[in-house]
Amino acid sequence: MEEYKQLSIKEFTRAARIYDSDHAGIYEMCKHDYPPILAELEKETFHDVLDCGCGTGPMIQLLHEKYPNKRYVGLDLTPEMIQVAQEKQLTNTELLVGDSENLPFAEGSFDAVICSNSFHHYPNPQDFFNSVLKKGGRLVLRDYTSSDFVVWLMNHLEMPLANMVGHGDVKIHKASEFISMAPVSYTHLTLPT
């Protein structure tokens, strides 16, 4: 399982400097998730937000522009991604190199946790669901999913090919798998559709 994490670090070290540009290649599609995540967060009051797999911090930057007085924490496995994010010098923001499957925060630290297009890189995805959310907090998780057949094709054809060319993709999950992994205590859970 560690090999997938090392592939992800290698992949995103190369991608870090172009990730925010208009020439980000395959990573361009991630930008489409930011407005729906923002809309979902705005449905309820929030103050402390954790972005798991934050990359160069584009989602935090979007939130920060609209809500500069909130507290943001970004966590990413790739040091180069965090370095680029830190160069944005966002106030009230802490950016850390870390593993989303082993969150280094106390229970109940955040009103909201967001995870955009990084969940399919987690070799032990169940470990992502821990109790860093405050009671009544919100998890907004956006990642790729599709019909059972398309998910099967992606996992048996696309993922192995992606690994062969150096990507750290692990598994695409069905919507039902996301639901079964999330603890019952996650009453405010927004998942991929």
Side-chain angles (χ1 to χ4, degrees):
M1 297 299 173
E2 185 62 30
E3 72 183 80
Y4 289 114
K5 292 182 184 193
Q6 292 308 313
L7 281 172
S8 286
I9 291 170
K10 184 177 178 184
E11 171 187 355
F12 289 104
T13 296
R14 288 190 305 259
R17 293 291 165 185
I18 62 160
Y19 197 83
D20 289 334
S21 76
D22 292 332
H23 307 289
I26 192 169
Y27 310 112
E28 287 281 325
M29 70 178 82
C30 298
K31 296 174 183 177
H32 301 293
D33 281 338
Y34 305 153
I37 291 170
L38 177 61
E40 191 61 38
L41 278 178
E42 290 178 327
K43 289 181 179 178
E44 294 190 24
T45 304
F46 65 90
H47 185 267
D48 302 296
V49 179
L50 170 63
D51 185 353
C52 290
C54 69
T56 58
M59 187 66 222
I60 292 174
Q61 186 173 11
L62 177 67
L63 286 164
H64 188 273
E65 287 169 6
K66 193 160 184 183
Y67 302 103
N69 296 322
K70 307 287 184 184
R71 176 180 164 253
Y72 304 102
V73 177
L75 184 79
D76 200 278
L77 194 60
T78 305
E80 187 70 18
M81 287 288 207
I82 293 297
Q83 181 179 338
V84 171
Q86 289 171 336
E87 290 169 6
K88 295 175 181 177
Q89 299 182 352
L90 301 172
T91 57
N92 303 322
T93 302
E94 185 178 6
L95 298 155
L96 306 166
V97 175
D99 189 340
S100 293
E101 294 178 341
N102 186 20
L103 296 174
F105 308 106
E107 184 174 319
S109 296
F110 300 95
D111 299 313
V113 175
I114 58 176
C115 181
S116 176
N117 290 308
S118 70
F119 194 78
H120 65 279
H121 291 284
Y122 302 168
N124 305 298
Q126 186 66 57
D127 294 345
F128 166 75
F129 294 100
N130 65 30
S131 56
V132 298
L133 276 174
K134 293 178 182 173
K135 186 174 175 76
R138 299 176 62 83
L139 169 63
V140 181
L141 189 144
R142 303 250 330 167
D143 210 282
Y144 311 108
T145 193
S146 189
S147 68
D148 289 357
F149 178 68
V150 172
V151 167
W152 184 91
L153 284 175
M154 293 172 84
N155 285 326
H156 289 86
L157 298 174
E158 185 180 337
M159 293 294 122
L161 289 172
N163 294 151
M164 285 175 41
V165 299
H167 292 269
D169 302 275
V170 179
K171 182 180 180 189
I172 302 299
H173 297 277
K174 300 177 208 172
S176 61
E177 291 176 306
F178 286 106
I179 292 167
S180 69
M181 281 188 267
V184 176
S185 62
Y186 280 50
T187 55
H188 293 86
L189 175 66
T190 305
L191 294 167
T193 55

